[in-house]
Amino acid sequence: MSSLNFNKVAGAVLATGLAIVGLKELSSGVFDKAPVTKPGYAVEIAADTGGGAAAPEVPPDWGTVLPTADVAAGAAVFEKCKSCHNADNGGPNQTGPNLWGVEGRAPGSHPGFAYSDGMKTFGAQHPVWDYDQIDAFLANPQKHIPGTKMGFVGLKKVEDRINLIAYLKGQGGTLPIPAPKPAAAPTAAAPAEGAAPAAPAAAAAPAK
């Protein structure tokens, strides 16, 4: 082999080697990854904003609200119920049971109506339809008595439920209206540090 050909072959081999080394260094620079300092995945957790579940609705004070309820408005609300219920004395069962005297009677007890198992279980646990139970049932029937046949979504406005309950009381209801519950007395604030205690209140004058 002549020296010229040898130089050409040697140059080609050297150029190929340089190209391979250059590509290796280039790929290392492009795809190089920083070492993992801590294995695992980062999971972001939403900060607690302090909003919890909604507080349960407090039942009305029946001794206060029923005597002043709008019975006529309750009769108007009952129009929504007439497609399934009759509230006349001796009236027939329909899709739902007759509601004459429902306030004060045992749940699931009206003669001739095929009650759901859910209502039968509820009746075994609650001997009387009282105001609180009727109110909760009217607000959300399926939630209050799972499995009930009553497919109505419920009355969401508390004033509608109060007026309807007042109307049903006039339809043979035997449940007495309880005495109003006295309002809780406000708690006096503690005096600031170093402040003189408040003087005692004067005694009330005797009734004449």
Side-chain angles (χ1 to χ4, degrees):
M1 177 182 295
S2 66
S3 60
L4 180 60
N5 289 336
F6 176 80
N7 290 337
K8 288 182 178 179
V9 172
V13 171
L14 181 60
T16 303
L18 291 174
I20 293 173
V21 173
L23 287 173
K24 182 178 179 181
E25 293 298 324
L26 180 62
S27 63
S28 297
V30 173
F31 299 106
D32 187 29
K33 295 182 179 179
V36 178
T37 58
K38 188 174 183 181
Y41 294 95
V43 179
E44 293 185 4
I45 301 175
D48 185 4
T49 58
E57 186 174 305
V58 178
D61 175 13
W62 300 109
T64 299
V65 300
L66 283 181
T68 59
D70 190 339
V71 176
V77 174
F78 187 72
E79 292 294 323
K80 302 178 182 180
C81 312
K82 282 189 173 181
S83 60
C84 297
H85 292 282
N86 183 289
D88 299 332
N89 189 6
N93 292 322
Q94 297 176 195
T95 306
N98 177 273
L99 297 181
W100 175 265
V102 66
E103 295 179 8
R105 81 183 182 203
S109 65
H110 190 69
F113 186 78
Y115 288 96
S116 65
D117 291 338
M119 183 62 75
K120 292 176 183 177
T121 300
F122 178 81
Q125 299 170 348
H126 302 85
V128 173
W129 269 122
D130 62 22
Y131 296 123
D132 286 347
Q133 296 297 337
I134 293 175
D135 177 59
F137 184 63
L138 290 174
N140 194 328
Q142 293 290 336
K143 180 179 179 181
H144 193 62
I145 304 180
T148 179
K149 292 180 179 179
M150 187 164 168
F152 183 58
V153 296
L155 296 172
K156 304 310 175 186
K157 294 183 178 180
V158 64
E159 60 268 24
D160 286 346
R161 302 197 301 270
I162 291 172
N163 292 335
L164 177 57
I165 289 171
Y167 167 75
L168 289 174
K169 178 164 181 58
Q171 304 304 113
T174 59
L175 195 66
I177 297 177
K181 298 176 183 178
T187 303
E193 186 177 354
K208 296 182 180 179

